[in-house]
């Protein structure tokens, strides 16, 4: 496996800064607290070094009780104050980090909400989002590693500066001339050589650690896959619905085979192999090399003290500070390594966050007409799904008559749902145009245009929220209006039996008292939702697919009545449901092949409608 960074350091740095800016925007409080915590963390070891050096110096030289007391008390007070502030900042930082995590998730959710439907509908978009989640899941890579890395950079830079401040006099305090040959320690060249060795060794150690880190993060693809396998096999035995199959077919054998061979995080898995191999060796080497620095500092400091440059207290200060500083240089290099490795994962994050809104956004407002006199026309519309070879709709032209009922029928895959998706502007056609009152729908404000449609999609989803909130699509709603919509949709009797009326929670996801509802009941609630919206167009896309023919007849019979003065469009592959419509459009292979009333269409014995009708009549009568 190659551990070469996949992007340049400068790019990784700019990704990191962009991510920090983004996170700072979602939570203004986090970074100042993080910075304060890092500063306190960085200074803490030097506070102890400084005061113990003063105490030792006093003990080794003048031995003045007053001064000694003062140093001891000042040292204890400062160390204590640092410890208290550090603990408080840590707690504050932790809670703000959790808050930041939540806000980051909202950022992703908002992005998903705001995507053009075509992008939201693409598998590639969901794969990208999954990849981001998996990178974060297995090693914390991505946006949330940025605060950690930034904190490490800041803490270690402050650490190095503090260490330098406490060690500078190690190099500048001269050995007295009486020290003879040891005066060589005063030579600038000698000092430079020592300092250079210390820095070089720290950098080398940090480099080893950073390379080791790269091994870890470049295992991401395998680790992500391992995580997915673990998510499946690891919890296989816990799933109630698998219990019977597991017992009948001894499926635990499959799981055991997985544990034996493919457990990425197990003792013989990829990460364990890396830890035994180059990753572990580099990490060990990095830590080992830093000992050389401590050795150099000890030798240099002790020789100068021996020669009479300073006392034993200063020895403590220099050795302590230089060792801590070497640790900071090492950690800084490791943080740079982490920053570089994470840069690649941030690319994935930004790839998702930067998905543009390509749909043309018009600004015209749709007039709010009390007479609901909206006329929609498809003019030579053709459409292909992104990446698809074939046209899903080809050259479709149709004009809706206001207030009438239009039925759309046709076999599965003939383009009925696609037609509705274009009508609601979830997609834009590649050819032709769709007009609302004579104006291309792309020129209208998108939200405004959406407001004129209520649709019950085939795969509608209700939410684990109270019934009323489901109907209204919001928590604060007009209860009387929601009740009326439910009654109109045929849910009245069931509403009477709901334990908390409109406040009854649907499903049991969040409460034991939630109510499970049948497919037919769910459909009625979905229809009530469409009625509550009270849009001029009401569209039902095979809303009765899950119902038996009697329940279907009930819903259709009622719906015809409550559609009132709205323009209603029904899609169904059950022709019997559509007989009552003023007009029926028959779809075949993405085109409208017939239009007319039920009787007119049936009269054409060679037409598609006749063929479908005959086939279904046979089905229903069992001939
Ligand atoms: P119907 O509603 O009449 O069953 P659809 O409008 O759902 O038909 O589908 C029309 C054609 O478009 C079919 O060939 C279907 O496979 C294809 N199709 C539908 N949705 C997608 C999609 N999201 N991506 C690619 N092709 C699609």
């Amino acid at each position: 496996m190659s551990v070469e960074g996949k992007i340049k350091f400068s790019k990784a740095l700019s990704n990191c800064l962009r991510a920090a800016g983004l996170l700072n925007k979602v939570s203004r409080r986090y970074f100042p607290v993080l910075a304060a915590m890092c500063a306190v963390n960085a200074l803490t070891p030097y506070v102890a070094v400084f005061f113990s050096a003063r105490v030792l110096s006093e003990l080794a030289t003048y031995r003045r009780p007053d001064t000694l007391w003062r140093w001891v008390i000042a040292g204890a007070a400062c160390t204590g104050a640092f410890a208290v502030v550090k603990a408080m900042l840590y707690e504050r930082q932790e809670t703000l980090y959790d808050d930041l995590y939540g806000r980051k998730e909202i950022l992703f959710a908002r992005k998903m909400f705001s995507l053009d439907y075509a992008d939201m509908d693409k598998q590639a978009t969901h794969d990208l989002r999954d990849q981001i989640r998996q990178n974060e899941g297995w090693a914390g890579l991505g946006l949330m590693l940025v605060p950690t890395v930034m904190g490490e950079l800041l803490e270690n830079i402050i650490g190095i500066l503090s260490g330098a401040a406490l060690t500078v006099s190690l190099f500048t305090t001269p050995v007295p001339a009486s020290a003879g040959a040891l005066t060589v320690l005063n030579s600038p060249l000698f000092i430079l050589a020592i300092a250079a060795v210390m820095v070089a060794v720290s950098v080398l150690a940090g480099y080893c650690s950073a390379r080791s880190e790269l091994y870890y993060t470049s295992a991401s693809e395998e680790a992500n896959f391992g995580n997915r396998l673990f998510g499946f096999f690891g919890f296989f035995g816990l799933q109630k619905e698998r219990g019977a199959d597991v017992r009948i077919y001894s499926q635990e054998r499959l799981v055991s085979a997985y544990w034996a061979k493919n457990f990425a995080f197990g003792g013989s898995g990829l990460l364990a192999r890396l830890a035994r191999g180059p990753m572990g060796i580099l990490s060990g080497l990095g830590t080992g090399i830093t000992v050389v620095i401590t050795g150099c500092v000890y030798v240099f400091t002790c020789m100068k003290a021996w020669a009479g440059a300073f006392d034993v207290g200063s020895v403590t200060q220099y050795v302590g500070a230089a060792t801590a500083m070497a640790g900071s240089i090492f950690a800084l290099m490791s943080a740079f390594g982490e920053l570089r490795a994470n840069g690649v994962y941030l690319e994935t994050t930004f790839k998702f966050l930067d998905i543009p809104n390509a749909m043309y956004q018009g600004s015209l407002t749709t007039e709010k007409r009390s007479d609901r006199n909206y006329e929609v026309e498809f003019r030579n519309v053709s459409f292909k799904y992104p990446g698809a070879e074939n046209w899903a709709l080809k050259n479709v032209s149709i004009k809706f008559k206001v207030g009438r009922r239009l039925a759309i029928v046709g076999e599965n895959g003939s383009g009925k749902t696609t037609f509705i998706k274009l009508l609601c502007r979830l997609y834009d056609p590649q050819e032709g145009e769709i007009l609302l009152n004579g104006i291309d729908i792309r020129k209208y404000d998108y939200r405004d245009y959406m407001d004129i449609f209520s649709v019950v999609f085939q795969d509608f989803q209700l939410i684990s929220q109270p019934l009323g909130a489901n109907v209204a699509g919001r928590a604060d709603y007009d209860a009387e209006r929601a009740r009326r919509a439910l009654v109109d949709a045929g849910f009245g009797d069931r509403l009477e039996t709901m334990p908390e009326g409109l406040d009854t929670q649907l499903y049991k996801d969040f409460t034991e008292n939630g109510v499970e509802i049948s497919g037919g009941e769910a459909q009625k609630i979905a229809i009530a939702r469409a009625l509550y919206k009270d849009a001029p167009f009401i569209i039902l896309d095979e809303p009765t697919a899950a119902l038996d023919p009697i329940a279907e007849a009930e819903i259709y019979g009622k719906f015809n009545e409550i559609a009132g003065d709205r323009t209603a469009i029904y899609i169904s592959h059950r022709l019997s449901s559509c007989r009552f419509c003023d007009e029926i459009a028959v779809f075949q292979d993405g085109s409208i092949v017939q239009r007319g009333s039920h009787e007119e269409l049936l009269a054409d014995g060679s037409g598609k409608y006749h063929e479908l009708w005959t086939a279904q009549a046979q089905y229903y009568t069992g001939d």
Side-chain angles (χ1 to χ4, degrees), residues 72 125 182 232 239 276 316 363 426 480 489 524 533 568 600:
V72 169
T125 308
L182 282 176
F232 182 75
Q239 295 167 21
R276 284 197 298 271
T316 316
S363 55
L426 292 176
E480 190 39 48
K524 288 178 182 170
K533 188 174 173 188
E600 285 163 2

Side-chain angles (χ1 to χ4, degrees), residues 121 385 388 392 411-418 427:
D121 201 30
Y385 281 97
E411 286 164 321
N412 279 341
S414 57
K416 304 185 294 295
T417 301
T418 307
Y427 289 97

Side-chain angles (χ1 to χ4, degrees), residues 1 6 130-141 213-232 258 262-266 269-274 279 345:
M1 182 180 16
K6 290 177 200 140
D130 275 353
Q131 210 180 326
I132 294 168
R133 201 177 288 121
Q134 284 168 18
N135 290 336
E136 188 173 289
W138 90 272
L141 296 160
E213 180 72 26
L214 271 181
Y215 268 102
Y216 187 69
T217 50
S218 39
S220 137
E221 208 173 298
E222 291 90 334
N224 275 341
F225 185 62
N227 233 2
R228 276 164 60 193
L229 282 175
F230 180 75
F232 182 75
Y258 157 74
N262 301 315
F263 184 30
F265 306 101
L270 172 72
L271 291 171
R273 283 203 306 279
L274 284 176
M279 186 170 80
Y345 299 94

Side-chain angles (χ1 to χ4, degrees), residues 117 121-122 383-393 408-421 427 458 541-542 571 573 587 589-590:
Y117 180 79
D121 201 30
K122 265 190 213 153
F383 173 74
K384 254 183 209 174
Y385 281 97
E389 293 260 308
N390 300 325
W391 293 99
L393 284 187
I408 296 178
V409 301
E411 286 164 321
N412 279 341
S414 57
K416 304 185 294 295
T417 301
T418 307
F419 175 76
I420 298 305
K421 285 187 172 162
Y427 289 97
Q458 224 169 340
D541 184 357
E542 302 216 47
I571 301 184
H573 61 270
F587 272 67
D589 299 332

Side-chain angles (χ1 to χ4, degrees), residues 239-281:
Q239 295 167 21
K240 189 165 150 253
E241 59 276 17
R242 292 191 186 278
D245 273 2
V246 165
R247 281 155 186 78
I248 302 279
Y249 299 108
S250 306
Q251 287 176 331
E252 69 278 3
R253 285 178 301 202
L254 286 171
V255 179
S256 309
Y258 157 74
W259 287 115
K261 280 200 195 133
N262 301 315
F263 184 30
F265 306 101
S268 56
L270 172 72
L271 291 171
R273 283 203 306 279
L274 284 176
R276 284 197 298 271
M279 186 170 80
I281 292 172

